[in-house]
Amino acid sequence: MTATRPPLAEGIPDRLYGRRRGHPLRPRQERLLNATLPRVRLMADEASDPLAAFAMPNASLWLEVGFGGGEHALAQVSANPDVAHIASEVFENGLCSLLARLVPEGGEETAPLPPNLRLWPQDARHLLAAMPAGALDRLFLLFPDPWPKARHAKRRFVHPALLPSVARALKPGGEWRIASDDPTYQAWVEEVMAGAEAFERVLHLTVRPEGWPGTRYEAKALREGRTPHYWVFRRR
């Protein structure tokens, strides 16, 4: 995607992520990126009116930032067919994981795709900056990279410099759902959101709430003895 990206607010780092690709892609993964992704991709020129990319003009709009393997995003798409979903991920192997669940092998170019799903394979912050104010009804940030080293704290999506952009994109009453299994990130969420005047905390649990589909990262954390925390913050 070569379109000009909306500028980010001062104080926000250029990127929040590391590498875009892990192990070399297999032929099936290459076909998914080349043939399937363009069919479900939200284009940059659609970001200023994202609902227009769906045949759902009056739908609620949900965005998941960093969907990982896609388990949560696809479960929400299936369980909420009347909601328009945008799932964002820059890691190519994660994109392939989700796309492989959408289409069978051999159907990369022709298999039907969910009408209520679009993918944003770029930095989600540029999408937030391009959206009209109050576009989102719900935002998900589930088990993000904690960037545990102090010098990398600026790369965390939960960041004071990014809160105005999130608050602008969420409509009043909209939800921001956050989950993390990392103690450093958990403490960071508490610290940053305590000073976020645009948000009120309405939930904080250490057991996954009803209606929150699980992810592979949550399962790994539980296997390894870490306790995930789950928050809901409401836009005032």
Side-chain angles (χ1 to χ4, degrees):
M1 189 177 297
T2 59
T4 302
R5 298 180 300 179
L8 298 175
E10 184 177 353
I12 298 177
D14 287 342
R15 52 193 265 172
L16 301 184
Y17 49 89
R19 57 185 181 167
R20 285 183 175 270
R21 177 178 293 186
H23 56 73
L25 298 181
R26 298 183 294 275
R28 156 79 159 157
Q29 292 174 311
E30 294 281 4
R31 292 195 301 273
L32 289 168
L33 291 180
N34 293 331
T36 311
L37 179 58
R39 299 171 54 211
V40 71
R41 186 176 194 163
L42 183 75
M43 302 303 293
D45 59 4
E46 296 174 312
S48 61
D49 185 12
L51 273 180
F54 303 84
M56 307 169 66
N58 299 313
S60 296
L61 182 63
W62 296 358
L63 168 63
E64 182 168 346
V65 174
F67 60 72
E71 301 92 353
H72 176 272
L74 292 182
Q76 293 286 15
V77 166
S78 177
N80 300 280
D82 297 328
V83 173
H85 301 259
I86 302 174
S88 174
E89 179 59 65
V90 300
F91 192 50
E92 289 184 343
N93 298 86
L95 288 164
C96 290
S97 179
L98 183 149
L99 292 169
R101 290 176 166 87
L102 285 181
V103 299
E105 186 149 10
E108 291 84 4
E109 297 182 9
T110 58
L113 296 167
N116 61 330
L117 173 65
R118 296 292 181 272
L119 301 186
W120 179 262
Q122 290 183 261
D123 191 326
R125 298 170 306 161
H126 294 287
L127 176 59
L128 289 174
M131 282 183 170
L136 290 177
D137 294 88
R138 190 171 293 178
L139 177 67
F140 301 95
L141 179 71
L142 306 179
F143 303 95
D145 190 325
W147 294 110
K149 296 181 180 179
R151 70 177 184 271
H152 290 153
K154 62 184 180 180
R155 289 191 173 188
R156 297 171 186 158
F157 188 89
V158 177
H159 192 283
L162 191 59
L163 291 183
S165 182
V166 175
R168 189 194 70 83
L170 273 170
K171 64 181 55 174
E175 288 186 0
W176 186 5
R177 296 187 176 187
I178 303 173
S180 177
D181 64 292
D182 182 83
T184 299
Y185 207 93
Q186 292 165 356
W188 176 261
V189 169
E190 288 289 325
E191 177 185 346
V192 171
M193 297 307 291
E197 296 182 357
F199 296 92
E200 61 175 330
R201 186 172 71 180
V202 297
L203 180 145
H204 179 203
L205 297 174
T206 56
V207 176
R208 175 158 43 89
E210 184 178 354
W212 289 48
T215 76
R216 66 178 64 183
Y217 300 105
E218 177 194 61
K220 180 180 179 182
L222 294 172
R223 287 196 308 269
E224 296 178 355
R226 295 188 298 277
T227 301
H229 286 224
Y230 308 85
W231 294 267
V232 174
F233 296 96
R234 181 178 295 137
R235 174 73 166 90
R236 297 185 191 275

